[in-house]
Amino acid sequence: MNHYMYSKRNAWSGVLFGIGAVAFIDETVFHQLLHWHHFYDKSTTNIGLVSDGLFHAFSWFATIGGLFMYADLRRRSALVRARWWGGFLVGAGGFQLYDGLIQHKLMRIHQIRYVENVILYDMVWNILAACMLLVGFILVYRTRSSQGAGKAYSNVH
């Protein structure tokens, strides 16, 4: 099997699933269970709930898209688990960092929690995102294609 041909697909499958998984966790835990915020808090509660529904649909489509790609890679015997997990962490960390910096601070469409000392929540949120991104990029880099890096895969499944 030509793993070079499916190298990008392995990473993108993980990225999509990572975005979908983190968005799902955010929506379920912080929006629905804890009621800390809605996706869009600059309007009425009804608008906030509609925005949560759209956000949830987005996370669902990203998750399903990533899983379809994952199933296709397995069917072709072209899945490279370490590269997929690297993509997953890049997607999860990238989405979380985008949420924490762009949506929370730049656009101010919502905050993690509406408390006086939100900086602690922001720091945990963004540092965790940066750690996921760093580990993800390292995994993706280390599993880059054998033609591009001069190395063979050691974890092909």
Side-chain angles (χ1 to χ4, degrees):
M1 181 57 50
N2 185 355
H3 291 100
Y4 176 74
M5 190 164 76
Y6 297 104
S7 179
K8 287 182 181 177
R9 192 176 299 187
N10 269 278
W12 279 110
S13 170
V15 166
L16 277 176
F17 190 76
I19 290 171
V22 166
F24 174 80
I25 291 168
D26 181 21
E27 168 68 24
T28 303
V29 174
F30 300 110
H31 297 214
Q32 295 174 350
L33 296 176
L34 297 175
H35 296 194
W36 281 5
H37 63 263
H38 296 291
F39 182 75
Y40 187 74
D41 279 336
K42 291 184 142 186
S43 185
T44 64
T45 301
N46 285 339
I47 297 295
L49 288 172
V50 169
S51 71
D52 284 347
L54 294 172
F55 180 55
H56 203 64
F58 163 78
S59 75
W60 180 249
F61 286 123
T63 302
I64 296 301
L67 287 177
F68 268 109
M69 293 172 74
Y70 182 92
D72 183 57
L73 290 165
R74 284 195 52 110
R75 184 179 62 81
R76 296 172 190 268
S77 298
L79 179 66
V80 180
R81 290 187 196 274
R83 188 164 184 83
W84 189 88
W85 278 107
F88 173 86
L89 290 171
V90 167
F95 177 80
Q96 188 166 323
L97 194 59
Y98 165 78
D99 185 41
L101 295 178
I102 303 299
Q103 294 180 343
H104 294 178
K105 298 305 167 196
L106 188 65
M107 297 170 68
R108 297 184 178 272
I109 60 174
H110 65 262
Q111 294 293 321
I112 294 176
R113 191 168 190 193
Y114 294 96
V115 293
E116 284 187 27
N117 225 354
V118 72
I119 189 72
L120 295 174
Y121 293 94
D122 288 337
M123 288 177 61
V124 169
W125 189 261
N126 292 327
I127 288 171
L128 182 61
C131 289
M132 286 192 292
L133 259 177
L134 179 64
V135 173
F137 278 128
I138 289 170
L139 281 173
V140 168
Y141 178 77
R142 292 185 68 173
T143 58
R144 65 191 184 279
S145 70
S146 60
Q147 290 179 356
K151 294 180 180 177
Y153 287 117
S154 60
N155 55 356
V156 176
H157 298 276

